[in-house]
Amino acid sequence: MGARAKPPVPGPLDWGDYALLDSGQGSKLERFGEFVLERPSPQSLWLPRLESAQWKRAAAKYHRSSEGGGEWESSRPLPDEWWIGMGGLELRMQATGFGHVGIFAEQLPFWHWITRQCADAGRRLEVLNLFAYTGGSSLAAAKGGARVTHCDASRGIVQWASENAQANGLGEGSADGAEIRWIVDDAWKFVGRESRRGHRYDAIILDPPSFGRGPKGQVWKLERDLTGFLAGLRELLSPQPAFLLLSAHTPGVGAVALRNLLGDAVNGLPGACEAGEMVIPEGDGARQLPSGTWATWSADGAPPPRP
C-alpha cells in the first residue's frame, strides 16, 4: 500500500448537529440533530435561562433511578436510532437505558487535537484507545492517519463503534487505507497481554469509568486502580511516544490530580503535561457546563483546543 495523503487538519471546533441549549437545577437541555432531550446534570447548580415551556418541548426526558439505570419519558416517539454530524464525523445516536445517547460532547476538542497530533507526527502512529465507547476518539485518530486499536469491554458498544467507522469510510475496507482493530476485552487484562506480547504504542487514549465491572466480574474503581493502570501503560509506550490523553468523570478527581497522576506515569519523557476541566459551551457560549476533567502529555507540548 502506498503512502496515504496527509489529511486536512481540523479547523475551529465543529459542534455540527449538537447544541447545549440550556442547563440548571440539576438538568441539561441538549439538541442532537432534530431531537431535543433533557438529561440529568448534577453539576448544574444554577438556574436555567430558558422558560419552562421551552424545556417542555423536549422529545424525551431521562429519569435516573436511585437503584441504578433509569428510564426515558417521551413526549414524542424517538426512533430506535438516528444520525448526527459532529466534529466532521457522522455518528449514530440511540437513547439507551443508562441515559447515554452515543457521544460525550465534552470530548469534541480532543477529537480535533487527536487528529492534529496524528496528522502532524511525520510518521504513522500506533494508537491505543481504551474504554473506547462508541469510537469518536478512534475515528479521530484514524482520520489523522494512525493505525488504531479500539478496546472496550462491551461487545455491543464495540459494534456501535464499528458502525460509526463504516459510516465514515474508516476502518476495514476504507478507500484511504485507515486501519482500526476492534477488541472486546477488559482493558486491564488487554494491557497486560499486550505488554507480554511486546506490542508497543506511540499514543494512548483512555477515558476510564469511575466504577465498572469487566466481562468476568472484575471490579474497577478509578481512585484505587488508576495509578497502577497508568504505570502499566508506561510499559506499552514505544521508544518515541507522541501523546497520551486521560479524561475522567469521577466527582472529586480534579484536573490537578489527573495531571499529577499522568506526570508520574510519563516521568523522564521529554514534552509537557497539560490539564483542565472539560466543559460544553451553552447557547451563545457565555456560560459553560462542567463535564469532567482531563490531562494530556505530548511530545510537542501542544494542549487541546479550548471550547
Side-chain angles (χ1 to χ4, degrees):
M1 182 180 297
R4 300 177 65 210
K6 189 172 182 179
V9 173
L13 294 183
D14 173 19
W15 295 95
D17 298 326
Y18 171 83
L20 174 62
L21 304 176
D22 197 13
S23 61
Q25 294 183 319
S27 295
K28 56 185 175 181
L29 190 69
E30 302 167 286
R31 178 175 58 78
F32 299 89
E34 64 178 290
F35 296 101
V36 174
L37 306 177
E38 180 182 345
R39 299 191 291 165
S41 177
Q43 294 191 75
S44 302
L45 305 177
W46 45 87
L47 294 174
R49 290 179 171 174
L50 298 180
E51 299 292 335
S52 60
Q54 297 185 62
W55 280 74
K56 291 178 181 178
R57 293 175 183 168
K61 177 179 180 179
Y62 186 76
H63 298 277
R64 188 170 286 160
S65 170
S66 60
E67 299 176 355
E71 62 180 4
W72 291 92
E73 176 189 359
S74 299
S75 61
R76 56 181 284 206
L78 286 176
D80 292 338
E81 64 177 56
W82 70 99
W83 293 79
I84 69 168
M86 182 180 178
L89 298 170
E90 293 297 317
L91 301 166
R92 180 168 75 83
M93 301 290 103
Q94 178 183 336
T96 72
F98 292 98
H100 299 166
V101 295
I103 59 168
F104 290 100
E106 61 270 18
Q107 296 279 346
L108 175 67
F110 304 138
W111 298 351
H112 284 244
W113 183 77
I114 289 165
T115 298
R116 181 175 291 109
Q117 285 284 327
C118 293
D120 292 347
R123 55 197 167 100
R124 195 169 198 186
L125 298 184
E126 293 277 351
V127 176
L128 173 61
N129 186 13
L130 297 166
F131 311 98
Y133 195 46
T134 58
S137 293
S138 296
L139 304 189
K143 282 179 61 178
R147 281 186 290 262
V148 183
T149 297
H150 173 109
C151 179
D152 196 281
S154 169
R155 185 172 299 278
I157 289 295
V158 173
Q159 177 60 34
W160 190 338
S162 176
E163 292 173 14
N164 282 336
Q166 293 173 23
N168 288 276
L170 297 167
E172 185 177 356
S174 63
D176 64 353
E179 297 179 22
I180 305 177
R181 182 169 61 132
W182 306 105
I183 304 294
V184 180
D185 204 350
D186 173 75
W188 193 302
K189 289 191 173 182
F190 179 72
V191 165
R193 283 194 292 271
E194 288 289 86
S195 180
R196 291 190 294 273
R197 287 189 285 249
H199 199 157
R200 298 296 178 258
Y201 294 91
D202 303 305
I204 300 176
I205 303 161
L206 66 156
D207 182 40
S210 301
F211 175 88
R213 292 184 184 275
K216 295 185 178 180
Q218 309 94 321
V219 175
W220 162 274
K221 292 184 179 180
L222 185 140
E223 297 94 328
R224 181 192 67 194
D225 297 326
L226 184 56
T227 301
F229 191 71
L230 289 172
L233 293 185
R234 175 65 183 264
E235 300 299 315
L236 286 186
L237 291 177
S238 71
Q240 291 183 296
F243 68 90
L244 287 91
L245 166 61
L246 167 63
S247 55
H249 298 81
T250 303
V253 178
V256 173
L258 286 191
R259 180 172 179 166
N260 290 345
L261 284 164
L262 192 60
D264 286 347
V266 300
N267 185 40
L269 293 179
C273 286
E274 299 284 346
E277 191 168 20
M278 292 189 287
V279 297
I280 306 173
E282 177 185 299
D284 60 5
R287 191 162 71 177
Q288 296 179 323
L289 176 65
S291 303
T293 52
W294 60 269
T296 61
W297 169 86
S298 60
D300 64 5
R306 303 284 179 174

